Amino acid sequence: MTKDAGNDERDPTPRGVWATRADAAGRAVHTRHLRRVWGLPGTRLGLMHWPPSGVDRLGVGSWGYWWQAHLLDCSIDAWLRSPTPDRQRIIREVSRGIRLRNARWTNDYFDDMAWLGLALQRAAETADVEHPKALRLLIDQLHGAWTEQAGGGIWWRRIDRYPDDFKNVPANGPAAILLARSTRFGGPAADLDRAIRMADWIEARLIDPATGLAWDGLRVDLDADPASTPPGSDIRSVVKKIYTYCQGVFIGACVELALATEDEQWWERAVRTINAVATELADADGVLPGHGGGDGGLFGGILARYLALAAAALPVRYAEAADTASNLVLSSAASAWNNRAVADGGPLFGPSWTTPARVPGSESATARPGKERDLSVQLGAWMLLEAAAQIERQPPPS
C-alpha cells in the first residue's frame, strides 16, 4: 500500500493536523462521490459506490437515504471547522438533492428520518440552511412512532407497511437526540419529554447489566393488548447484538438530556457507556472496531461523533471519562489514517481502521471487490477525522 510521504505517525500529533486530514477525507468524498441529481443544477448527492456502476451513474438504483443524511452531517462538520461559501453551498445542494431524489422528506424507516432530522437541525443552527417545515414533519413522524408496546419506544420502521415487530436503539437513540435538541429551536416541551422517555426506555430494556453496553433491540408480541399487559411482558425476545453506533447514539442522547435537564443521572449513564466502550469494544490500542461495508461502514464514525460530543460537554468532574472518549477517537483516527490507501482524489479508507485499505481494482482476480467502494465506509472515516479535529480544537482545560 502506498502512503503519502513525509508523515511519521509515531511523532506527537501537532495541533491542526486533524483538520488537515479531515479536509483531505472530505475532498476525496466530494471528488469521487458527489454528483448532481440527474444532472440538475443546485443539487448534489453522493454516489453509493466508487468506481460507480452504470446504475450508480444513472441515479436510478438504491441511493441510501440515511447515508446521504450523514453526507449532509459531515459537510456541516466541515463548515463548522472552516466555514466557506462553497461548503455552505454543498450543504444547501445536498439538502435539495435528498428532497428531490426521495420525492418527499420522509420515508418508511424511523431511524433514517431521525438521522435526516438531526442533519437538517444542525444545518439550520450552524449554516443558515433552513427547512423548518421538513424538520417539524420529521419530528412529528417520530412522535407518531411511539407506542406503549414493550413498555414504550418507537418502531424501527412503519409496521402498517411492513410485517415487523422490532423496536431498537438505532431508531430511539438518534430520535432522542433530535427531540432533546428541539427545545433550542423553540420546540414544545413534549419533544423533551418524549426524548427522556426514549432514553429511559433504552436504559430499562436494552442496556446489558453485565457490561453497560447497549444491545441492538427487541421483538414485540403484536397480538398482546398493551392496555391489559404488564409493561414489558409482551417482549418476545431481545436481540443482544452489540454495534458501535448503538453506543454512540445512547451516549449522544444522554449528553443532550444532561444539558437540557441538568439531571446528573444522564452524565452518569454517558460515562458508564464511554467506559464500557473502552473496556469491552476497543482493542488494546484503543481503536474502535469496524462493522464491514454497507450500512455498517457508518457505525464506527457515528460512535466517534458522539464520543467527541461527550468529550467536549462532560463537566470537569468527569474529566477522566472525557479523556477516555477523546483518546478513543484520536487512537482510532490515527489507525485509520495510518492504514489509508492513496487513490484518485485523495485518501481511501477501509471498513476496518486496523487493516490496510485496498484501492478498488487492485484486488486479485479471485478476490471480491473491497468495501472501500462504499460511500458509507468513506463517510464513516471522514466522520471519525472530523471528530478528531473537533477534539483537537477544543480549548485545554482551565
Side-chain angles (χ1 to χ4, degrees):
M1 177 181 64
T2 304
K3 291 286 181 68
D4 292 343
N7 288 317
D8 184 352
E9 304 303 341
R10 296 169 297 178
D11 291 340
T13 303
R15 179 164 291 274
V17 74
W18 290 118
T20 301
R21 293 171 181 176
D23 255 344
R27 284 196 303 272
V29 168
H30 289 176
T31 299
R32 293 194 289 253
H33 292 271
L34 215 61
R35 298 292 186 275
R36 289 179 174 179
V37 181
W38 304 318
L40 296 174
T43 67
R44 299 285 185 94
L45 283 179
L47 295 175
M48 295 287 280
H49 306 101
W50 176 84
S53 67
V55 169
D56 288 326
R57 289 191 181 94
L58 291 173
V60 296
S62 63
W63 66 284
Y65 177 109
W66 85 290
W67 294 18
Q68 307 298 333
H70 284 287
L71 171 62
L72 181 56
D73 232 355
C74 286
S75 300
I76 296 164
D77 290 338
W79 160 267
L80 285 169
R81 178 169 44 77
S82 180
T84 67
D86 185 58
R87 286 187 168 135
Q88 187 184 43
R89 178 175 55 81
I90 287 172
I91 293 167
R92 185 174 292 111
E93 291 181 352
V94 171
S95 302
R96 290 174 181 159
I98 292 171
R99 172 63 179 82
L100 177 64
R101 179 63 178 80
N102 196 56
R104 61 188 193 278
W105 288 107
T106 61
N107 79 351
D108 290 341
Y109 291 78
F110 294 107
D111 55 344
D112 288 10
M113 289 189 278
W115 288 120
L116 181 57
L118 281 166
L120 293 179
Q121 194 180 61
R122 293 183 73 218
E125 182 179 29
T126 65
D128 198 29
V129 177
E130 298 185 4
H131 296 280
K133 291 182 179 179
L135 181 56
R136 192 66 238 174
L137 172 63
L138 292 165
I139 289 174
D140 289 344
Q141 293 287 312
L142 298 174
H143 274 287
W146 178 276
T147 72
E148 294 301 328
Q149 290 153 296
I154 68 171
W155 299 103
W156 170 48
R157 58 183 179 177
R158 298 183 191 277
I159 61 170
D160 57 336
R161 299 184 186 178
Y162 296 92
D164 208 344
D165 58 1
F166 198 45
K167 292 186 173 185
N168 64 359
V169 174
N172 284 270
I177 297 169
L178 175 63
L179 270 65
R181 290 176 177 172
S182 173
T183 53
R184 296 211 300 260
F185 300 87
D191 289 352
L192 179 57
D193 292 342
R194 181 54 52 82
I196 291 170
R197 294 191 69 190
M198 286 175 175
D200 276 337
W201 178 83
I202 294 172
E203 177 72 21
R205 305 295 178 194
L206 290 170
I207 297 297
D208 180 357
T211 65
L213 293 173
W215 291 318
D216 184 33
L218 53 80
R219 298 200 174 276
V220 183
D221 179 3
L222 296 178
D223 293 327
D225 180 5
S228 59
T229 302
S233 63
D234 56 349
I235 296 172
R236 288 199 300 109
S237 62
V238 176
V239 179
K240 295 185 178 181
K241 293 181 179 179
I242 299 295
Y243 296 117
T244 46
Y245 76 147
C246 291
Q247 321 316 314
V249 296
F250 187 64
I251 290 168
C254 290
V255 168
E256 293 297 339
L257 289 169
L259 294 171
T261 67
E262 299 183 357
D263 186 337
E264 192 70 16
Q265 70 170 326
W266 298 113
W267 292 126
E268 293 170 354
R269 292 176 183 180
V271 167
R272 178 203 60 203
T273 310
I274 291 166
N275 290 333
V277 167
T279 58
E280 303 289 337
L281 290 184
D283 70 10
D285 296 318
V287 179
L288 301 172
H291 292 291
D295 286 345
L298 288 164
F299 291 2
I302 290 169
L303 174 53
R305 173 186 297 284
Y306 292 107
L307 286 170
L309 173 73
L314 279 163
V316 173
R317 60 186 174 278
Y318 296 116
E320 185 175 351
D323 286 344
T324 298
S326 294
N327 290 336
L328 287 166
V329 172
L330 295 174
S331 295
S332 299
S335 187
W337 186 260
N338 289 344
N339 284 294
R340 74 199 183 283
V342 176
D344 291 345
L348 184 82
F349 301 93
S352 168
W353 296 328
T354 60
T355 303
R358 296 181 303 170
V359 177
S362 66
E363 304 91 351
S364 69
T366 58
R368 296 181 65 184
K371 301 300 184 182
E372 288 84 351
R373 289 188 67 226
D374 291 354
L375 172 64
S376 59
V377 171
Q378 303 312 311
L379 288 175
W382 182 12
M383 206 181 313
L384 169 67
L385 296 176
E386 292 288 359
Q390 178 184 334
I391 289 170
E392 178 181 61
R393 66 179 180 266
Q394 289 173 16
S398 56

